[in-house]
Amino acid sequence: MARTTADESSYQTLARWLADAKIAVAFTGAGISTESGIPDFRSPGGIWAKYRVVEYQEFLASADARHEYWRQKSEAHADFADAAPNAGHQVLARWESQGRLTAVITQNIDELHQQAGSQRVLELHGTARRIACLDCGERYEVEPLLAEFRRENAVPPCPACGGRLKSATISFGQMLPPEALHESFALAKRADLFLAIGSSLVVEPAASLPRVAKEYGARLVIINRDPTPLDDRADLVIGGSIGAALAGVDAALELKEN
Ligand code: NAD
Ligand code: ZN
């Protein structure tokens, strides 16, 4: 069992493993974006402390539920709109450009990995920066439609077909995108180093991806402030701040190679 640390020697260990890895894959959750000012779900003061969850079936069935969903989105969107990538996102993007990291699998819906420059990003939960029509599939920029919602205090209909518009995110009760999911498990199986970063690892597929990677022979590293149910299986567990940890590992890599 790995002991949780956040010190130079754990950074050096991970730097060595990264340098040796042929296929390193990062899997990220809400925790990598809290240092950009976006609250996570399960921490105190997180999103779940604040809003009632509108599930997918309810969204489909009820105009009132759709209105409540849009009201919540209209409030929460400010967190996203002004957020910029932090050191954690930047280090992962740099590692990809240096050929050290093959891909980022993320549960996040904030597009901060892409903004930081990550190229291969598999979004398991979609993106809050787009609106999608559930009836015709058309996609739209979020801001103009949110402005319309606020102005009219009514959910705007799809400009193309009059159908139901929803954030292009995956709600509770909604199917995950099969292609991204399939590719993520394929990557977890091929990886020889798997970094689980900023996820409580309690919901699927977050709970399974690191476990599968480990079962298929990857070294498993967990970087998270709070303990997770998979800490016991990890080769290394790094606690504390994600930004500090990734910057520390990056610095150890630079030192090692210069
Ligand atoms: P979670 O809220 O369950 O867990 C986040 C974990 O990150 C916690 O265990 C916490 O200890 C850790 N953490 C938070 N800030 C940290 C920091 N600065 N340094 C180190 N550790 C830190 O998140 P989850 O497992 O990703 O599940 C929540 C779901 O909600 C996600 O699937 C995602 O779709 C959605 N979500 C996304 C965003 C986003 O896009 N930024 C934000 C909130 C929720
Ligand atoms: Zn439509």
Side-chain angles (χ1 to χ4, degrees):
M1 168 178 170
R3 193 172 55 89
T4 304
T5 58
D7 56 17
E8 256 336 286
S9 87
S10 58
Y11 299 163
Q12 284 162 7
T13 302
L14 180 48
R16 204 167 58 239
W17 291 352
L18 262 169
D20 289 347
K22 293 196 173 56
I23 301 180
V25 173
F27 167 71
T28 64
I32 197 171
S33 293
T34 59
E35 289 169 55
S36 292
I38 302 176
D40 63 14
F41 268 23
R42 291 178 177 82
S43 296
I47 291 172
W48 282 353
K50 217 160 132 191
Y51 297 119
R52 140 183 126 69
V53 173
V54 178
E55 296 201 8
Y56 190 57
Q57 288 311 320
E58 204 190 341
F59 184 95
L60 292 178
S62 147
D64 283 349
R66 290 196 284 279
H67 190 277
E68 170 59 13
Y69 177 98
W70 274 76
R71 190 191 65 75
Q72 292 180 10
K73 181 167 175 66
S74 159
E75 259 186 45
H77 187 70
D79 291 337
F80 287 96
D82 304 332
N86 66 58
H89 300 103
Q90 281 154 3
V91 166
L92 294 183
R94 186 152 61 242
W95 289 349
E96 184 185 9
S97 73
Q98 294 169 336
R100 302 183 193 283
L101 189 72
T102 299
V104 177
I105 303 167
T106 190
Q107 293 194 292
N108 293 344
I109 55 177
D110 54 31
E111 292 191 23
L112 292 185
H113 287 300
Q114 293 93 327
Q115 281 186 22
S118 285
Q119 301 287 315
R120 191 167 175 200
V121 181
L122 297 170
E123 288 177 327
L124 295 178
H125 290 172
T127 170
R129 295 192 189 271
R130 302 276 180 281
I131 299 290
C133 175
L134 297 178
D135 297 293
C136 76
E138 193 66 59
R139 288 163 80 89
Y140 302 96
E141 291 294 321
V142 67
E143 267 80 15
L145 289 164
L146 269 183
E148 187 178 336
F149 172 77
R150 291 185 189 119
R151 207 167 50 236
E152 310 286 337
N153 190 27
V155 178
C158 171
C161 79
R164 295 159 297 180
L165 293 180
K166 183 182 163 297
S167 175
T169 49
I170 307 299
S171 293
F172 286 92
Q174 194 174 3
M175 206 175 72
L176 298 186
E179 274 175 28
L181 196 59
H182 179 82
E183 199 178 339
S184 298
F185 276 98
L187 274 168
K189 290 177 182 172
R190 283 171 49 222
D192 54 2
L193 179 63
F194 193 91
L195 313 176
I197 305 170
S199 170
S200 51
L201 304 180
V202 292
V203 296
E204 289 302 334
S208 290
L209 282 166
R211 190 177 45 72
V212 166
K214 179 72 188 160
E215 280 168 11
Y216 278 74
R219 277 180 170 136
L220 174 60
V221 178
I222 294 176
I223 306 178
N224 204 56
R225 192 171 54 211
D226 292 307
T228 80
L230 291 178
D231 288 3
D232 281 355
R233 305 195 190 196
D235 297 280
L236 180 66
V237 181
I238 300 179
S241 139
I242 290 165
L246 291 180
V249 175
D250 193 46
L253 264 173
E254 295 288 318
L255 267 179
K256 193 173 170 298
E257 292 184 357
N258 291 309

